Amino acid sequence: MKTRITELFGIEKPIIQGGMAWVANASLASAVSEAGGLGIIACGSASPEWLIKQLAEARAKTSKPIGVNIMMMSEHVAELAQIVADQHVDVVTTGAGSPAPYIEMWKEAGVKVMPVVASTALAKRMERAGADAVVAEGQEAGGHIGELTTMVLVPAVCEAVSIPVVAAGGIADGRGMAAAFALGGEAVQVGTRFLTAEECTIHENFKEKVMGAKDSDTIVTGRLQGHPVRQLKNKFARTVKALEEQAATDSSIDLEGIHAGSLRKAVVDGNTDEGSFMAGQVAALVCERKSAAEIIDGLMADAERWGALNLQQMADANAVRGWRG
Ligand code: TUI
């Protein structure tokens, strides 16, 4: 199929892999791109040298388009942005801030720019600054989030800008993908579902935690401090949340450095007590391991099936079958 997004990036299927810090490396990104989606190498807080190595590794594994995600709060943001331009990366996505200062440089280098936004205000600013597309990410997503739900944010952003919109947050199956297209999306960004992909190199404990998660098993920390982060419930998340609540009324409590190293402890060490297991609410629907290609092909087939039905047929199907698919 063709959408403005598949045409823009030169990909076969309108599925973008989420830019998950510490998770989205060359192994996962190249598998997603090889399967016809857009794989993304996520820099998180990583060094410029790490990015150069991952790009080389990904390019050795696939000749298809590949993207890089830059987390705007990274201390290395300027150097990472420069590498993206120097290496003429196909696509750059950004999160946790505005990439406005770098857009011109990227465009001059032929890099397609797709900021992740959590509000119509930032979406409009990004369109004015020259972005090629935006990802509208609802607060169902894992990691750093905004306030609005996908159900409200996606149509609102579609109304606010004329560049194509990728829907994100809470999408992990064919029904979610079909719904995202009904809301105005021309592609979906999927993160949590890829955590259990065979090519995803995170610790087994992380995969098990995702597959065991129920709908009520994520928690948002950092809301009171202005940087909300969604993650799976565990000792670390509950402790942070409790400390943050105390800190709101007790200025002697110091939250500085409370998150330091916690994502690494989850992803690399599988430390179930001290790690920050960032994942979206949709972890509740993720219960199997598959290859990236199987995930992508299954999403496409199921979304096509739901998208082909009229409302009566959907209602009839809903009356006789379970939720999955
Ligand atoms: O960026 C994400 N998700 C992330 S980044 C990340 S790494 C991290 N690690 C520890 C603590 C914090 C982050 C983990 N997950 N998603 C995209 C996203 N961007 N969601 C929300 C935003 C956002 C929020 C405010 C973007 C811009 C913004 O304000 C910018 C402005 O200038 O208005």
Side-chain angles (χ1 to χ4, degrees):
M1 70 174 291
K2 285 190 192 335
T3 74
R4 285 193 291 171
I5 294 290
T6 62
E7 296 299 283
L8 182 64
F9 300 151
I11 55 177
E12 294 146 45
K13 294 161 193 162
I15 298 173
I16 320 285
Q17 168 235 310
M20 300 170 281
W22 280 101
V23 173
N25 55 16
S27 171
L28 180 61
S30 60
V32 169
S33 286
E34 263 305 287
L38 182 71
I40 304 266
I41 296 167
C43 300
S45 56
S47 67
E49 294 72 31
W50 180 88
L51 174 59
I52 290 169
K53 191 165 160 282
Q54 294 297 314
L55 274 170
E57 207 176 308
R59 282 185 172 146
K61 289 182 166 161
T62 182
S63 55
K64 296 192 177 173
I66 206 137
V68 167
N69 174 269
I70 299 185
M71 205 268 284
M72 300 311 295
M73 294 188 314
S74 164
E75 61 177 306
H76 305 296
V77 61
E79 284 167 281
L80 296 167
Q82 190 66 51
I83 293 165
V84 163
D86 292 347
Q87 299 228 1
H88 306 287
V89 168
D90 300 289
V91 185
V92 65
T93 71
T94 62
S98 166
Y102 306 105
I103 292 182
E104 201 180 311
M105 171 177 77
W106 287 330
K107 302 277 296 180
E108 276 170 16
V111 180
K112 300 283 189 287
V113 181
M114 183 165 69
V116 180
V117 305
S119 67
T120 56
L122 187 59
K124 285 182 185 168
R125 266 164 57 206
M126 294 299 96
E127 181 176 51
R128 278 200 301 273
D132 297 284
V134 287
V135 178
E137 187 183 274
Q139 62 121 318
E140 295 92 320
H144 185 78
I145 54 172
E147 287 290 334
L148 295 171
T149 59
T150 301
M151 184 73 95
V152 170
L153 180 70
V154 172
V157 170
C158 289
E159 280 296 303
V161 299
S162 43
I163 52 177
V165 175
V166 176
I171 304 165
D173 61 16
R175 284 185 185 246
M177 184 169 169
F181 275 64
L183 294 176
E186 292 181 56
V188 290
Q189 180 188 272
V190 173
T192 301
R193 179 77 195 268
F194 285 117
L195 287 173
T196 64
E198 282 158 14
E199 298 88 346
C200 180
T201 57
I202 62 174
H203 197 282
E204 269 305 301
N205 292 355
F206 201 152
K207 295 191 178 191
E208 292 289 339
K209 247 181 114 52
V210 170
M211 289 187 290
K214 301 187 301 293
D215 52 0
S216 55
D217 283 344
T218 70
I219 185 172
V220 179
T221 58
R223 268 214 206 282
L224 295 170
Q225 285 69 33
H227 47 86
V229 171
R230 185 181 300 283
Q231 56 204 292
L232 295 171
K233 284 179 180 169
N234 67 349
K235 190 171 162 193
F236 172 78
R238 288 197 183 91
T239 306
V240 169
K241 181 108 178 157
L243 274 174
E244 286 171 351
E245 276 160 15
Q246 285 171 33
T249 52
D250 180 351
S251 59
S252 72
I253 292 176
D254 184 9
L255 297 170
E256 183 75 26
I258 197 169
H259 286 101
S262 59
L263 188 53
R264 182 185 199 284
K265 281 184 189 162
V267 174
V268 181
D269 306 338
N271 186 332
T272 49
D273 280 345
E274 295 170 28
S276 172
F277 292 80
M278 292 186 192
Q281 291 180 330
V282 82
L285 301 184
V286 177
C287 50
E288 60 193 7
R289 297 162 196 270
K290 281 184 172 174
S291 69
E294 285 167 338
I295 291 171
I296 288 172
D297 292 346
L299 271 167
M300 287 298 295
D302 288 340
E304 293 273 21
R305 204 155 42 78
W306 286 104
L309 303 183
N310 65 31
L311 288 183
Q312 183 63 62
Q313 291 167 325
M314 282 194 205
D316 292 346
N318 288 341
V320 295
R321 69 186 295 289
W323 168 259
R324 304 289 310 160

